[in-house]
């Protein structure tokens, strides 16, 4: 029997929330700005060619 059958599945939103919290705690200087920048890069519709371009992307 595989060990994967014994893994308890967690709520995906709780897992994502935990990841975001741990990622934010890794950022030291300008943590909020860097976190928002990473969030904008991940939510962009296509490839990001410049960071200035992200200011034009809607939330």
């Amino acid at each position: 029997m595989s060990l994967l059958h014994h893994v308890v599945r967690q709520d995906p939103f709780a897992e994502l929330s935990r990841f975001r919290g741990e990622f934010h705690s890794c950022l030291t200087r300008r943590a909020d700005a860097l976190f928002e920048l990473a969030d904008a890069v991940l939510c962009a519709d296509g490839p990001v060619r410049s960071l200035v371009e992200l200011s034009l992307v809607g939330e």
Side-chain angles (χ1 to χ4, degrees):
M1 183 185 294
S2 173
L3 292 176
L4 294 177
H5 294 296
H6 296 291
V7 174
V8 177
R9 297 194 117 205
Q10 294 183 355
D11 179 28
F13 293 112
E15 187 71 20
L16 180 61
S17 178
R18 184 187 60 78
F19 172 78
R20 288 172 59 95
E22 288 181 13
F23 176 66
H24 190 272
S25 68
C26 290
L27 303 172
T28 52
R29 299 185 69 176
R30 296 181 176 93
D32 290 337
L34 289 172
F35 189 81
E36 293 296 324
L37 181 62
D39 211 22
V41 168
L42 292 173
C43 293
D45 288 335
V48 176
R49 293 179 184 84
S50 74
L51 296 180
V52 177
E53 209 176 284
L54 289 175
S55 65
L56 302 175
V57 176
E59 293 185 23

Short mmCIF file of all heavy atoms in Angstrom, two decimals:
data_model
loop_
_atom_site.label_atom_id
_atom_site.label_comp_id
_atom_site.label_asym_id
_atom_site.label_seq_id
_atom_site.Cartn_x
_atom_site.Cartn_y
_atom_site.Cartn_z
N MET A 1 0.85 -1.19 0.00
CA MET A 1 0.00 0.00 0.00
C MET A 1 0.89 1.24 0.00
O MET A 1 1.89 1.31 0.68
CB MET A 1 -0.91 -0.01 1.23
CG MET A 1 -1.85 1.15 1.24
SD MET A 1 -2.86 1.31 2.71
CE MET A 1 -3.86 -0.13 2.64
N SER A 2 0.51 2.21 -0.77
CA SER A 2 1.27 3.44 -0.89
C SER A 2 1.10 4.31 0.36
O SER A 2 0.06 4.30 1.01
CB SER A 2 0.78 4.21 -2.11
OG SER A 2 1.39 5.47 -2.16
N LEU A 3 2.14 5.05 0.65
CA LEU A 3 2.08 5.98 1.79
C LEU A 3 1.15 7.15 1.50
O LEU A 3 0.68 7.81 2.41
CB LEU A 3 3.47 6.50 2.12
CG LEU A 3 4.44 5.47 2.70
CD1 LEU A 3 5.81 6.10 2.88
CD2 LEU A 3 3.93 4.93 4.01
N LEU A 4 0.88 7.40 0.23
CA LEU A 4 0.00 8.52 -0.13
C LEU A 4 -1.42 8.33 0.39
O LEU A 4 -2.14 9.28 0.60
CB LEU A 4 -0.03 8.70 -1.64
CG LEU A 4 1.29 9.13 -2.28
CD1 LEU A 4 1.14 9.21 -3.79
CD2 LEU A 4 1.74 10.46 -1.73
N HIS A 5 -1.82 7.08 0.60
CA HIS A 5 -3.16 6.84 1.11
C HIS A 5 -3.31 7.26 2.57
O HIS A 5 -4.41 7.45 3.05
CB HIS A 5 -3.52 5.35 0.98
CG HIS A 5 -3.62 4.91 -0.45
ND1 HIS A 5 -4.57 5.40 -1.31
CD2 HIS A 5 -2.87 4.05 -1.16
CE1 HIS A 5 -4.40 4.85 -2.50
NE2 HIS A 5 -3.37 4.02 -2.44
N HIS A 6 -2.19 7.40 3.26
CA HIS A 6 -2.23 7.76 4.67
C HIS A 6 -2.10 9.26 4.91
O HIS A 6 -2.22 9.71 6.03
CB HIS A 6 -1.12 7.02 5.44
CG HIS A 6 -1.29 5.54 5.42
ND1 HIS A 6 -2.31 4.91 6.09
CD2 HIS A 6 -0.59 4.58 4.78
CE1 HIS A 6 -2.23 3.61 5.89
NE2 HIS A 6 -1.18 3.38 5.09
N VAL A 7 -1.84 10.00 3.86
CA VAL A 7 -1.69 11.44 4.00
C VAL A 7 -3.06 12.07 4.22
O VAL A 7 -4.00 11.80 3.49
CB VAL A 7 -1.02 12.04 2.74
CG1 VAL A 7 -0.99 13.55 2.82
CG2 VAL A 7 0.37 11.48 2.57
N VAL A 8 -3.15 12.89 5.24
CA VAL A 8 -4.40 13.59 5.53
C VAL A 8 -4.44 14.83 4.66
O VAL A 8 -3.53 15.65 4.67
CB VAL A 8 -4.48 13.97 7.02
CG1 VAL A 8 -5.74 14.76 7.29
CG2 VAL A 8 -4.40 12.74 7.88
N ARG A 9 -5.49 14.98 3.87
CA ARG A 9 -5.62 16.14 3.00
C ARG A 9 -6.07 17.35 3.81
O ARG A 9 -7.00 17.27 4.59
CB ARG A 9 -6.62 15.86 1.90
CG ARG A 9 -6.18 14.71 1.02
CD ARG A 9 -6.99 14.66 -0.22
NE ARG A 9 -6.03 14.91 -1.28
CZ ARG A 9 -6.34 15.41 -2.46
NH1 ARG A 9 -7.57 15.72 -2.73
NH2 ARG A 9 -5.44 15.60 -3.37
N GLN A 10 -5.37 18.45 3.59
CA GLN A 10 -5.73 19.69 4.26
C GLN A 10 -6.55 20.55 3.32
O GLN A 10 -6.57 20.34 2.11
CB GLN A 10 -4.47 20.44 4.67
CG GLN A 10 -3.66 19.73 5.73
CD GLN A 10 -2.47 20.55 6.15
OE1 GLN A 10 -2.21 21.61 5.60
NE2 GLN A 10 -1.74 20.09 7.12
N ASP A 11 -7.23 21.50 3.91
CA ASP A 11 -8.00 22.45 3.12
C ASP A 11 -7.04 23.25 2.23
O ASP A 11 -6.07 23.82 2.73
CB ASP A 11 -8.75 23.37 4.07
CG ASP A 11 -9.57 24.41 3.34
OD1 ASP A 11 -9.99 24.15 2.20
OD2 ASP A 11 -9.79 25.49 3.92
N PRO A 12 -7.27 23.29 0.91
CA PRO A 12 -6.35 24.01 0.02
C PRO A 12 -6.20 25.49 0.37
O PRO A 12 -5.13 26.05 0.25
CB PRO A 12 -6.98 23.85 -1.36
CG PRO A 12 -7.93 22.72 -1.25
CD PRO A 12 -8.34 22.64 0.18
N PHE A 13 -7.27 26.12 0.84
CA PHE A 13 -7.18 27.53 1.20
C PHE A 13 -6.33 27.72 2.45
O PHE A 13 -5.58 28.69 2.55
CB PHE A 13 -8.58 28.13 1.39
CG PHE A 13 -9.36 28.19 0.12
CD1 PHE A 13 -10.47 27.40 -0.06
CD2 PHE A 13 -8.98 29.04 -0.90
CE1 PHE A 13 -11.19 27.45 -1.24
CE2 PHE A 13 -9.69 29.11 -2.09
CZ PHE A 13 -10.79 28.30 -2.26
N ALA A 14 -6.42 26.81 3.39
CA ALA A 14 -5.59 26.89 4.59
C ALA A 14 -4.12 26.69 4.24
O ALA A 14 -3.24 27.37 4.76
CB ALA A 14 -6.03 25.86 5.62
N GLU A 15 -3.86 25.77 3.31
CA GLU A 15 -2.50 25.51 2.87
C GLU A 15 -1.92 26.73 2.15
O GLU A 15 -0.78 27.12 2.38
CB GLU A 15 -2.48 24.29 1.94
CG GLU A 15 -1.13 23.82 1.55
CD GLU A 15 -0.36 23.17 2.67
OE1 GLU A 15 -0.98 22.73 3.65
OE2 GLU A 15 0.87 23.11 2.58
N LEU A 16 -2.72 27.35 1.28
CA LEU A 16 -2.28 28.55 0.57
C LEU A 16 -2.05 29.70 1.54
O LEU A 16 -1.06 30.44 1.42
CB LEU A 16 -3.30 28.95 -0.48
CG LEU A 16 -2.97 30.19 -1.30
CD1 LEU A 16 -1.67 29.99 -2.08
CD2 LEU A 16 -4.12 30.51 -2.24
N SER A 17 -2.91 29.85 2.50
CA SER A 17 -2.77 30.90 3.50
C SER A 17 -1.49 30.71 4.31
O SER A 17 -0.76 31.67 4.59
CB SER A 17 -3.98 30.91 4.43
OG SER A 17 -3.83 31.88 5.41
N ARG A 18 -1.20 29.47 4.67
CA ARG A 18 0.03 29.18 5.42
C ARG A 18 1.25 29.50 4.57
O ARG A 18 2.20 30.13 5.05
CB ARG A 18 0.06 27.70 5.83
CG ARG A 18 1.27 27.34 6.70
CD ARG A 18 1.35 25.84 6.95
NE ARG A 18 1.46 25.07 5.72
CZ ARG A 18 2.59 24.93 5.02
NH1 ARG A 18 3.68 25.54 5.39
NH2 ARG A 18 2.61 24.19 3.93
N PHE A 19 1.22 29.11 3.28
CA PHE A 19 2.34 29.40 2.39
C PHE A 19 2.56 30.90 2.25
O PHE A 19 3.69 31.38 2.33
CB PHE A 19 2.09 28.78 1.02
CG PHE A 19 3.10 29.20 -0.01
CD1 PHE A 19 4.36 28.62 -0.02
CD2 PHE A 19 2.80 30.18 -0.94
CE1 PHE A 19 5.30 29.02 -0.95
CE2 PHE A 19 3.73 30.58 -1.87
CZ PHE A 19 4.99 30.00 -1.88
N ARG A 20 1.47 31.66 2.05
CA ARG A 20 1.59 33.11 1.90
C ARG A 20 2.16 33.75 3.16
O ARG A 20 2.98 34.66 3.10
CB ARG A 20 0.24 33.72 1.54
CG ARG A 20 -0.20 33.40 0.13
CD ARG A 20 -1.63 33.86 -0.14
NE ARG A 20 -1.83 35.28 0.05
CZ ARG A 20 -1.77 36.19 -0.93
NH1 ARG A 20 -1.54 35.80 -2.15
NH2 ARG A 20 -1.97 37.46 -0.67
N GLY A 21 1.73 33.26 4.33
CA GLY A 21 2.26 33.78 5.59
C GLY A 21 3.74 33.50 5.76
O GLY A 21 4.51 34.36 6.19
N GLU A 22 4.15 32.29 5.41
CA GLU A 22 5.57 31.94 5.52
C GLU A 22 6.41 32.71 4.50
O GLU A 22 7.52 33.14 4.81
CB GLU A 22 5.76 30.44 5.33
CG GLU A 22 5.27 29.63 6.51
CD GLU A 22 5.48 28.14 6.33
OE1 GLU A 22 6.23 27.74 5.41
OE2 GLU A 22 4.90 27.38 7.11
N PHE A 23 5.87 32.88 3.29
CA PHE A 23 6.60 33.65 2.28
C PHE A 23 6.76 35.10 2.74
O PHE A 23 7.84 35.68 2.61
CB PHE A 23 5.86 33.59 0.94
CG PHE A 23 6.49 34.43 -0.14
CD1 PHE A 23 7.74 34.12 -0.63
CD2 PHE A 23 5.82 35.52 -0.66
CE1 PHE A 23 8.33 34.89 -1.62
CE2 PHE A 23 6.39 36.30 -1.65
CZ PHE A 23 7.65 35.98 -2.14
N HIS A 24 5.70 35.70 3.26
CA HIS A 24 5.76 37.09 3.73
C HIS A 24 6.77 37.22 4.87
O HIS A 24 7.49 38.21 4.94
CB HIS A 24 4.38 37.56 4.17
CG HIS A 24 4.32 39.03 4.44
ND1 HIS A 24 4.60 39.58 5.67
CD2 HIS A 24 4.00 40.07 3.62
CE1 HIS A 24 4.47 40.88 5.61
NE2 HIS A 24 4.10 41.20 4.37
N SER A 25 6.86 36.23 5.74
CA SER A 25 7.81 36.32 6.86
C SER A 25 9.26 36.17 6.40
O SER A 25 10.16 36.59 7.12
CB SER A 25 7.47 35.27 7.92
OG SER A 25 7.72 33.97 7.44
N CYS A 26 9.48 35.61 5.21
CA CYS A 26 10.84 35.50 4.67
C CYS A 26 11.35 36.83 4.13
O CYS A 26 12.55 37.04 4.03
CB CYS A 26 10.89 34.47 3.54
SG CYS A 26 10.67 32.79 4.08
N LEU A 27 10.44 37.71 3.79
CA LEU A 27 10.83 39.01 3.23
C LEU A 27 11.16 39.94 4.39
O LEU A 27 10.40 40.07 5.33
CB LEU A 27 9.69 39.58 2.40
CG LEU A 27 9.20 38.69 1.26
CD1 LEU A 27 7.95 39.29 0.64
CD2 LEU A 27 10.28 38.50 0.22
N THR A 28 12.31 40.58 4.31
CA THR A 28 12.72 41.43 5.42
C THR A 28 12.45 42.91 5.12
O THR A 28 11.54 43.49 5.68
CB THR A 28 14.21 41.21 5.74
OG1 THR A 28 14.98 41.35 4.55
CG2 THR A 28 14.42 39.82 6.31
N ARG A 29 13.20 43.49 4.23
CA ARG A 29 13.03 44.91 3.92
C ARG A 29 11.92 45.09 2.89
O ARG A 29 11.86 44.37 1.91
CB ARG A 29 14.32 45.50 3.41
CG ARG A 29 15.44 45.39 4.45
CD ARG A 29 16.64 46.07 3.97
NE ARG A 29 16.34 47.50 3.95
CZ ARG A 29 17.23 48.42 3.64
NH1 ARG A 29 18.44 48.08 3.34
NH2 ARG A 29 16.90 49.68 3.63
N ARG A 30 11.06 46.03 3.13
CA ARG A 30 9.94 46.35 2.23
C ARG A 30 9.10 45.12 1.93
O ARG A 30 8.73 44.84 0.79
CB ARG A 30 10.48 46.97 0.94
CG ARG A 30 11.18 48.29 1.17
CD ARG A 30 11.66 48.88 -0.14
NE ARG A 30 12.25 50.17 0.04
CZ ARG A 30 13.55 50.38 0.24
NH1 ARG A 30 14.37 49.37 0.29
NH2 ARG A 30 14.00 51.59 0.39
N ALA A 31 8.80 44.37 2.96
CA ALA A 31 8.09 43.11 2.82
C ALA A 31 6.74 43.27 2.12
O ALA A 31 6.41 42.49 1.23
CB ALA A 31 7.90 42.45 4.18
N ASP A 32 5.98 44.29 2.51
CA ASP A 32 4.65 44.47 1.92
C ASP A 32 4.74 44.77 0.42
O ASP A 32 3.99 44.22 -0.38
CB ASP A 32 3.88 45.58 2.63
CG ASP A 32 3.46 45.17 4.03
OD1 ASP A 32 3.37 43.96 4.28
OD2 ASP A 32 3.23 46.06 4.86
N ALA A 33 5.67 45.63 0.04
CA ALA A 33 5.82 45.99 -1.37
C ALA A 33 6.29 44.80 -2.18
O ALA A 33 5.78 44.55 -3.29
CB ALA A 33 6.82 47.15 -1.51
N LEU A 34 7.25 44.04 -1.67
CA LEU A 34 7.73 42.86 -2.40
C LEU A 34 6.66 41.79 -2.50
O LEU A 34 6.54 41.11 -3.52
CB LEU A 34 8.98 42.30 -1.71
CG LEU A 34 10.24 43.15 -1.86
CD1 LEU A 34 11.35 42.60 -0.98
CD2 LEU A 34 10.68 43.20 -3.32
N PHE A 35 5.87 41.64 -1.45
CA PHE A 35 4.80 40.65 -1.47
C PHE A 35 3.75 41.02 -2.52
O PHE A 35 3.29 40.17 -3.28
CB PHE A 35 4.17 40.55 -0.08
CG PHE A 35 3.21 39.41 0.04
CD1 PHE A 35 3.66 38.13 0.26
CD2 PHE A 35 1.84 39.63 -0.05
CE1 PHE A 35 2.78 37.07 0.38
CE2 PHE A 35 0.95 38.59 0.07
CZ PHE A 35 1.42 37.31 0.29
N GLU A 36 3.38 42.30 -2.57
CA GLU A 36 2.42 42.76 -3.56
C GLU A 36 2.97 42.62 -4.97
O GLU A 36 2.24 42.27 -5.90
CB GLU A 36 2.03 44.22 -3.29
CG GLU A 36 1.24 44.42 -2.02
CD GLU A 36 -0.11 43.74 -2.06
OE1 GLU A 36 -0.74 43.72 -3.14
OE2 GLU A 36 -0.55 43.23 -1.03
N LEU A 37 4.26 42.86 -5.14
CA LEU A 37 4.89 42.70 -6.45
C LEU A 37 4.85 41.24 -6.89
O LEU A 37 4.51 40.94 -8.04
CB LEU A 37 6.33 43.20 -6.40
CG LEU A 37 7.12 43.12 -7.69
CD1 LEU A 37 6.48 43.97 -8.77
CD2 LEU A 37 8.56 43.54 -7.44
N ALA A 38 5.18 40.33 -6.00
CA ALA A 38 5.12 38.90 -6.33
C ALA A 38 3.69 38.48 -6.66
O ALA A 38 3.46 37.71 -7.59
CB ALA A 38 5.66 38.07 -5.17
N ASP A 39 2.73 39.00 -5.92
CA ASP A 39 1.32 38.71 -6.18
C ASP A 39 0.91 39.22 -7.56
O ASP A 39 0.21 38.53 -8.31
CB ASP A 39 0.47 39.37 -5.10
CG ASP A 39 -0.80 38.60 -4.80
OD1 ASP A 39 -0.84 37.40 -5.10
OD2 ASP A 39 -1.74 39.21 -4.26
N ALA A 40 1.36 40.41 -7.94
CA ALA A 40 1.02 40.97 -9.24
C ALA A 40 1.64 40.16 -10.37
O ALA A 40 1.01 39.94 -11.40
CB ALA A 40 1.49 42.43 -9.31
N VAL A 41 2.87 39.70 -10.19
CA VAL A 41 3.53 38.88 -11.22
C VAL A 41 2.76 37.59 -11.42
O VAL A 41 2.55 37.13 -12.55
CB VAL A 41 5.00 38.61 -10.84
CG1 VAL A 41 5.60 37.54 -11.72
CG2 VAL A 41 5.82 39.88 -10.93
N LEU A 42 2.32 36.98 -10.33
CA LEU A 42 1.60 35.71 -10.43
C LEU A 42 0.21 35.87 -11.02
O LEU A 42 -0.33 34.93 -11.61
CB LEU A 42 1.51 35.06 -9.05
CG LEU A 42 2.85 34.57 -8.49
CD1 LEU A 42 2.66 34.11 -7.05
CD2 LEU A 42 3.42 33.46 -9.33
N CYS A 43 -0.39 37.03 -10.87
CA CYS A 43 -1.76 37.25 -11.34
C CYS A 43 -1.83 37.88 -12.73
O CYS A 43 -2.92 38.04 -13.27
CB CYS A 43 -2.52 38.13 -10.35
SG CYS A 43 -2.79 37.33 -8.77
N ALA A 44 -0.69 38.22 -13.31
CA ALA A 44 -0.67 38.83 -14.64
C ALA A 44 -1.17 37.82 -15.68
O ALA A 44 -0.95 36.62 -15.55
CB ALA A 44 0.73 39.32 -14.98
N ASP A 45 -1.84 38.32 -16.71
CA ASP A 45 -2.40 37.45 -17.74
C ASP A 45 -1.34 36.81 -18.62
O ASP A 45 -1.53 35.71 -19.12
CB ASP A 45 -3.37 38.23 -18.62
CG ASP A 45 -4.66 38.56 -17.89
OD1 ASP A 45 -4.99 37.83 -16.95
OD2 ASP A 45 -5.31 39.54 -18.27
N GLY A 46 -0.25 37.48 -18.85
CA GLY A 46 0.78 36.96 -19.74
C GLY A 46 2.15 37.22 -19.17
O GLY A 46 2.29 37.55 -17.99
N PRO A 47 3.16 37.10 -20.01
CA PRO A 47 4.53 37.34 -19.52
C PRO A 47 4.72 38.81 -19.12
O PRO A 47 4.16 39.71 -19.74
CB PRO A 47 5.41 36.98 -20.71
CG PRO A 47 4.52 36.94 -21.90
CD PRO A 47 3.14 36.70 -21.41
N VAL A 48 5.48 39.01 -18.08
CA VAL A 48 5.76 40.35 -17.58
C VAL A 48 7.10 40.80 -18.16
O VAL A 48 8.12 40.16 -17.95
CB VAL A 48 5.82 40.36 -16.03
CG1 VAL A 48 6.21 41.73 -15.53
CG2 VAL A 48 4.50 39.92 -15.47
N ARG A 49 7.07 41.88 -18.93
CA ARG A 49 8.30 42.36 -19.57
C ARG A 49 9.00 43.42 -18.74
O ARG A 49 10.20 43.61 -18.83
CB ARG A 49 7.97 42.88 -20.96
CG ARG A 49 7.54 41.78 -21.89
CD ARG A 49 7.19 42.31 -23.27
NE ARG A 49 6.69 41.26 -24.13
CZ ARG A 49 5.44 40.84 -24.15
NH1 ARG A 49 4.56 41.37 -23.34
NH2 ARG A 49 5.05 39.88 -24.97
N SER A 50 8.25 44.14 -17.94
CA SER A 50 8.84 45.14 -17.05
C SER A 50 7.99 45.26 -15.79
O SER A 50 6.79 45.03 -15.82
CB SER A 50 8.95 46.49 -17.75
OG SER A 50 7.68 47.09 -17.86
N LEU A 51 8.64 45.64 -14.72
CA LEU A 51 7.91 45.78 -13.45
C LEU A 51 6.98 46.99 -13.49
O LEU A 51 5.95 46.99 -12.82
CB LEU A 51 8.91 45.90 -12.30
CG LEU A 51 9.77 44.66 -12.08
CD1 LEU A 51 10.73 44.88 -10.92
CD2 LEU A 51 8.92 43.44 -11.84
N VAL A 52 7.33 47.99 -14.28
CA VAL A 52 6.47 49.18 -14.40
C VAL A 52 5.14 48.80 -15.04
O VAL A 52 4.09 49.34 -14.69
CB VAL A 52 7.20 50.26 -15.23
CG1 VAL A 52 6.31 51.47 -15.44
CG2 VAL A 52 8.48 50.65 -14.56
N GLU A 53 5.18 47.82 -15.95
CA GLU A 53 3.98 47.36 -16.62
C GLU A 53 2.95 46.81 -15.62
O GLU A 53 1.74 46.88 -15.87
CB GLU A 53 4.39 46.23 -17.57
CG GLU A 53 3.57 46.05 -18.80
CD GLU A 53 4.16 44.97 -19.67
OE1 GLU A 53 5.17 45.23 -20.33
OE2 GLU A 53 3.61 43.86 -19.65
N LEU A 54 3.43 46.31 -14.52
CA LEU A 54 2.51 45.72 -13.52
C LEU A 54 1.60 46.75 -12.89
O LEU A 54 0.52 46.43 -12.41
CB LEU A 54 3.30 45.00 -12.43
CG LEU A 54 3.97 43.71 -12.86
CD1 LEU A 54 4.81 43.17 -11.73
CD2 LEU A 54 2.95 42.69 -13.28
N SER A 55 2.01 48.00 -12.89
CA SER A 55 1.16 49.03 -12.29
C SER A 55 -0.10 49.26 -13.12
O SER A 55 -1.07 49.81 -12.64
CB SER A 55 1.94 50.34 -12.13
OG SER A 55 2.28 50.85 -13.39
N LEU A 56 -0.08 48.84 -14.37
CA LEU A 56 -1.24 49.02 -15.25
C LEU A 56 -2.18 47.84 -15.21
O LEU A 56 -3.29 47.91 -15.74
CB LEU A 56 -0.76 49.24 -16.69
CG LEU A 56 0.17 50.42 -16.90
CD1 LEU A 56 0.67 50.43 -18.34
CD2 LEU A 56 -0.52 51.72 -16.56
N VAL A 57 -1.76 46.74 -14.59
CA VAL A 57 -2.59 45.53 -14.52
C VAL A 57 -3.66 45.71 -13.46
O VAL A 57 -3.36 46.11 -12.33
CB VAL A 57 -1.72 44.29 -14.20
CG1 VAL A 57 -2.58 43.06 -14.02
CG2 VAL A 57 -0.69 44.08 -15.28
N GLY A 58 -4.91 45.43 -13.82
CA GLY A 58 -6.00 45.51 -12.85
C GLY A 58 -5.92 44.39 -11.84
O GLY A 58 -5.33 43.35 -12.10
N GLU A 59 -6.49 44.63 -10.71
CA GLU A 59 -6.47 43.60 -9.65
C GLU A 59 -7.41 42.48 -9.94
O GLU A 59 -8.43 42.60 -10.50
CB GLU A 59 -6.80 44.22 -8.31
CG GLU A 59 -5.72 45.17 -7.86
CD GLU A 59 -6.01 45.70 -6.47
OE1 GLU A 59 -6.75 45.06 -5.71
OE2 GLU A 59 -5.50 46.76 -6.16
#
